[in-house]
Amino acid sequence: MINEEDLQLEIEAAIEILGEGGVILYPTDTIWGIGCDATNEKAVERVYEIKKRSDSKSLITLVSDVDMLYRYVKEVPEMATSLIEVNDKPMTIIYPQGINLAGNVIAEDGSVGIRIPMHEFCVKLTKRFGKPIISTSANISGEDAPVSFEDINAEIFDAVDWTADPCLEEGASGKPSQIIKIGLSGEVKILRQ
């Protein structure tokens, strides 16, 4: 458990790195993630390089709340709003048309995966940063996603610019989020339970 003062220090340290176009390693409401400013194309490129992942596979982005969501999606389908309101576990929604994000965050079809996290550190970090943050599993592409801090490959630690205090992982589910794709006319497709 981390006290409020130390939590704020962690947030400020992460924001400084994010603002400089750096890459962070941090716990989310699901598993440990690699993140950067989702509006900075060069920073996003570094995340792909660290993961050794093709940039044709899009990345998940975290926003602090519904208000921030509306700034990065052209149109939020009513069904998405309803799901967010009743959701009680980590849920990433694929929206039809991402806007105001780095080009390499948006999929070839224009869609974008966004989650409003259920984790104090992530919510406060995205709110304080004021922009979306990339959240992709902290692993090399093809390897298992790290359930906890101890599971993270040393290569990842060496590649990022800042690592969050491991005690911040408290409250994480240890499992990837469910992924739901929602079309403009409200059609819903569950991609991952």
Side-chain angles (χ1 to χ4, degrees):
M1 189 72 186
I2 193 165
N3 66 44
E4 191 60 35
E5 188 179 326
D6 288 340
L7 176 64
Q8 290 308 318
L9 289 171
E10 287 287 301
I11 289 168
E12 292 306 317
I15 283 170
E16 187 175 332
I17 298 298
L18 292 168
E20 294 168 353
V23 176
I24 65 171
L25 176 60
Y26 68 111
T28 71
D29 48 343
T30 57
I31 56 180
W32 277 79
I34 299 172
C36 68
D37 176 350
T39 67
N40 181 328
E41 199 146 336
K42 278 193 172 16
V44 173
E45 207 171 280
R46 264 196 67 212
V47 170
Y48 280 113
E49 287 167 8
I50 290 168
K51 285 186 66 75
K52 299 179 180 165
R53 178 176 170 172
S54 160
D55 64 4
S56 63
K57 291 185 174 183
S58 51
L59 301 169
I60 291 172
T61 299
L62 299 183
V63 296
S64 59
D65 51 34
V66 174
D67 288 342
M68 187 182 282
L69 171 68
Y70 275 95
R71 297 199 307 259
Y72 298 96
V73 176
K74 190 171 185 179
E75 186 182 331
V76 178
E78 202 173 301
M79 175 58 77
T81 309
S82 300
L83 283 171
I84 291 166
E85 285 172 6
V86 300
N87 183 45
D88 63 351
K89 64 181 184 178
M91 175 182 63
T92 299
I93 297 177
I94 310 286
Y95 295 91
Q97 296 169 298
I99 55 171
N100 303 322
L101 294 162
N104 49 357
V105 172
I106 298 170
E108 288 175 10
D109 65 358
S111 66
V112 64
I114 298 179
R115 183 167 82 248
I116 298 172
M118 303 171 131
H119 188 270
E120 183 184 21
F121 175 71
C122 291
V123 172
K124 286 184 173 181
L125 179 63
T126 49
K127 190 176 281 288
R128 176 83 176 74
F129 187 52
K131 291 190 269 186
I133 297 171
I134 292 297
S135 179
T136 183
S137 57
N139 62 320
I140 304 296
S141 196
E143 292 181 358
D144 291 338
V147 173
S148 67
F149 186 77
E150 292 80 36
D151 301 328
I152 300 169
N153 182 325
E155 204 175 319
I156 300 288
F157 289 114
D158 294 341
V160 299
D161 302 307
W162 179 84
T163 300
D165 187 315
C167 72
L168 288 170
E169 77 180 5
E170 190 178 314
S173 70
K175 297 183 297 209
S177 69
Q178 62 179 331
I179 299 178
I180 298 170
K181 187 169 188 170
I182 300 181
L184 280 175
S185 52
E187 64 278 13
V188 176
K189 186 176 181 184
I190 296 170
L191 303 180
R192 183 168 69 198
Q193 282 282 17

